[in-house]
Amino acid sequence: MLALAAALGPGGLALRWPAPTTALLVVVLAPLLEEIVFRAGVQDALAARSSARLGPLTWANALTAAAFALFHLARHPVGWAAATCVPALVFGYFYERHGRTLAAPIGLHAGYNAVWLVLLGPG
């Protein structure tokens, strides 16, 4: 742990605590709404059209993750938006794995956003 803190810079790990309203939006509201739209909406619609797989992932999940990344272009630079594709694949995988219920992807998404928010700030 000390090696990780030292690797992060001379000041070590500096956590950034967000304003409560920012935390509420990023950790609760965004995961809830995004997972409803992208999992229960887009991914389910695509899955109804094809059950094709790409290794352990379905095409519906892969295409939904790409759409999720494109959606994030509105508020993030290209690299950050593209980086949302990997967690989106994880959220979609657990959505399918747990019987297409939203609890798993919402919980994972909220946790991911909380860590991101505390480590990197709301910027």
Side-chain angles (χ1 to χ4, degrees):
M1 186 62 148
L2 291 174
L4 176 62
L8 292 173
L13 183 61
L15 301 179
R16 302 172 186 180
W17 300 107
T21 53
T22 301
L24 179 66
L25 289 171
V26 172
V27 177
V28 177
L29 190 58
L32 180 66
L33 294 176
E34 289 177 355
E35 295 306 320
I36 289 170
V37 169
F38 285 97
R39 294 316 140 219
V42 176
Q43 191 166 337
D44 276 353
L46 291 170
R49 289 172 175 69
S50 172
S51 61
R53 299 192 73 78
L54 181 65
L57 304 174
T58 63
W59 276 104
N61 184 9
L63 292 173
T64 301
F68 187 78
L70 288 172
F71 169 78
H72 281 81
L73 277 174
R75 292 203 30 106
H76 300 288
V78 173
W80 280 103
T84 65
C85 198
V86 172
L89 287 169
V90 173
F91 305 155
Y93 174 81
F94 278 91
Y95 177 65
E96 293 173 346
R97 175 96 182 185
H98 291 277
R100 299 198 182 293
T101 60
L102 288 170
I106 290 171
L108 289 167
H109 195 155
Y112 177 85
N113 282 9
V115 170
W116 171 84
L117 187 62
V118 170
L119 292 179
L120 302 175

